[in-house]
Amino acid sequence: MRTPARWRLGAVTAVGLGALVTGSLPGGAARAQEADAALTYACRLPSGTSREVGVRVRGAFPATGTAGRPVRPGRVTVAVTIPKAAVPEVSALGGASVAGTAELGVSVRQDGRSAPAAWPGLATPATPVADGADLVLAASGDVPPVTPAGTGDLTFTAGDLTLELGPRDAHGGVPEDAKPAITIGCEPTAEHVLATVPVPAGEAPATPAPPKTAPPKTGKRAAAAPGETPAECGRFTGPTDDWYPGCVYLSGFSNVAKLKGAAILNDPEFGRPALTNVVYALTDTGASVRQRFVSPLRSRSTFLTFGFMPTTATMEMTQRPLGPGEDYGTFEAVSDMQTGVQSVSAHMRMSIRISDVSVNGTPLDVGGNCRTAADADIVLKGEMTSVLEGGMLDGSFRIPRFTGCGAGEDLGPLFDGAVSGPGNLLRVTLGATCIPDADISCPPVVPAPARTAPRPAG
């Protein structure tokens, strides 16, 4: 019953629809029609019994489409109402609440031909479970687009639904005695059309828009109004027109092994968080992302130097090229063809500068150019439902030796002894990528930094 894979390029081409079902790319058309469908499904519970379940699917679709251009729904919410008679099978997991993911199969039809697609990775927040009451699980997420090759109405029809649910405690964490997650498979009791997007005749495939270019550098950054997408978002150009722009915030912790402490990265309480611009494109195995920080990552932390002396300093991490002519870092996502889970590897190079140092409350003049003599080469790895939906990455890196430290004396050896060396953990949390051209996940949000190791996705 479960739709097998997120990346379905070959399958869709084979059935001859002429539509390319991709993963997590934005559509170019404006969203104009709202879909709100009340559906009925027959769901098989872990006990083997079948129950009728109400499902409500909501999302926004373009008013029209154009042959050769992506047609993408907006963020979709699938609300599943598990009747109270079936709730004991969920509460048997043992947690005070439950959370998980939903995957909705979708049939895309045009000119009498159809192809299967999937809307995976729709996430549910931790939802309290109470016996004797219905359980409503609202799973939301961004969904893949469809690119019609020809004209004619493009019809989206709901198919099979799969829920994967696990227990959560009263605080949303996983209980120590957690039972394995359960899977509930559901089949529609009738054909449910979610939306129809006309693709008019007489229009040639649209020519891709020219690449965006950054505005002239004026030394000042335009500030967005509160609650709006930052003006810098998406001002990063890919190598070709089939790379799509967006932006994201990240947060995290950078440990200093020798000092047995950690600095918070992109702490909004310290200053304006650094935005990360991205461009991304599909690959044969997943997705390729190039990222570039709009400004340096800054943080201010206090450590006990040599185990007893409180030292406070500002750390600034500035992105450096991965190679000649490359002013960016990378995220490479490879999708598991069975589960859809992406294995993500990030690579970036950073120059680390230290300033505004005080030791035991007394300012220490380190000069204006106290920085690592070489770039820190950082590789992070993790698993997530989609690199564009966000998740956690971590890895360890070496802090190079320092140079240029000290106004009257060379303080480089002091920092080398207290800071430089291998085994420094960097744990990063990515927020959802804001795609301004399609108004998806915008404005971007600074995620809370994760203090614990990421759990496997899926």
Side-chain angles (χ1 to χ4, degrees):
M1 176 185 300
R2 182 178 174 87
T3 22
R6 167 177 311 222
W7 307 98
R8 304 176 171 275
L9 307 185
V12 174
T13 303
V15 298
L17 171 65
L20 180 64
V21 180
T22 60
S24 298
L25 287 180
R31 300 182 298 169
Q33 57 171 310
E34 296 291 332
D36 190 345
L39 320 177
T40 302
Y41 277 76
C43 296
R44 183 168 293 277
L45 302 173
S47 64
T49 60
S50 182
R51 295 282 183 181
E52 189 173 278
V53 170
V55 177
R56 185 180 181 186
V57 180
R58 288 174 292 169
F61 289 77
T64 61
T66 302
R69 299 286 290 178
V71 172
R72 175 167 193 157
R75 191 171 182 85
V76 167
T77 297
V78 177
V80 182
T81 300
I82 297 177
K84 60 184 178 182
V87 169
E89 294 206 39
V90 178
S91 60
L93 288 169
S97 59
V98 66
T101 59
E103 177 176 316
L104 181 64
V106 179
S107 174
V108 184
R109 185 170 64 247
Q110 187 181 45
D111 291 335
R113 293 170 292 180
S114 63
W119 291 349
L122 306 176
T124 71
T127 305
V129 179
D131 289 336
D134 293 345
L135 174 62
V136 180
L137 299 170
S140 299
D142 298 327
V143 301
V146 172
T147 302
T151 60
D153 287 349
L154 198 65
T155 302
F156 296 79
T157 302
D160 292 348
L161 173 67
T162 302
L163 297 173
E164 293 186 359
L165 305 175
R168 296 291 185 269
D169 59 26
H171 304 289
V174 179
E176 293 183 0
D177 56 348
K179 294 184 179 180
I182 61 173
T183 299
I184 300 176
C186 306
E187 296 179 349
T189 58
E191 181 175 284
H192 301 299
V193 174
L194 300 176
T196 297
V197 179
V199 181
E203 294 186 14
T207 302
K212 293 185 176 182
T213 55
K217 294 182 178 180
T218 63
K220 296 182 179 180
R221 297 195 299 159
E228 293 185 358
T229 300
E232 308 96 324
C233 181
R235 293 180 175 176
F236 184 22
T237 302
T240 57
D241 290 346
D242 57 354
W243 288 68
Y244 294 79
C247 64
V248 65
Y249 283 114
L250 60 80
S251 64
F253 291 95
S254 177
N255 283 13
V256 179
K258 287 184 176 179
L259 297 179
K260 297 180 174 61
I264 300 179
L265 297 179
N266 236 13
D267 184 0
E269 294 186 5
F270 173 67
R272 184 183 179 188
L275 185 72
T276 304
N277 268 333
V278 301
V279 288
Y280 61 96
L282 287 180
T283 66
D284 290 340
T285 55
S288 183
V289 182
R290 294 183 176 183
Q291 61 83 217
R292 186 167 65 190
F293 293 108
V294 173
S295 59
L297 295 172
R298 296 185 177 90
S299 63
R300 187 162 180 81
S301 299
T302 298
F303 299 94
L304 292 179
T305 311
F306 304 115
F308 65 91
M309 187 178 298
T311 300
T312 301
T314 297
M315 180 181 71
E316 179 181 276
M317 302 180 73
T318 302
Q319 189 167 14
R320 300 284 296 155
L322 287 179
E326 299 178 344
D327 60 342
Y328 54 82
T330 60
F331 297 123
E332 297 295 336
V334 177
S335 294
D336 185 297
M337 299 301 289
Q338 297 301 316
T339 66
V341 172
Q342 291 185 345
S343 296
V344 180
S345 177
H347 186 200
M348 60 191 73
R349 299 179 69 90
M350 307 292 283
S351 173
I352 302 173
R353 186 173 76 92
I354 294 177
S355 62
D356 298 329
V357 180
S358 64
V359 179
N360 203 23
T362 301
L364 178 64
D365 190 355
V366 300
N369 196 34
C370 179
R371 63 176 65 249
T372 50
D375 299 333
D377 194 354
I378 300 173
V379 174
L380 307 175
K381 296 182 181 296
E383 291 186 347
M384 56 193 70
T385 303
S386 166
V387 67
L388 297 182
E389 295 172 9
M392 286 180 280
L393 300 167
D394 64 9
S396 64
F397 70 103
R398 172 183 289 273
I399 298 178
R401 68 178 185 85
F402 283 81
T403 186
C405 302
E409 59 179 319
D410 183 10
L411 299 177
L414 174 65
F415 289 103
D416 292 343
V419 178
S420 299
N424 303 286
L425 175 69
L426 180 60
R427 178 164 293 141
V428 168
T429 301
L430 294 175
T433 299
C434 164
I435 304 168
D437 289 347
D439 193 25
I440 294 173
S441 299
C442 297
V445 176
V446 181
R451 297 177 180 271
T452 58
R455 300 188 64 209

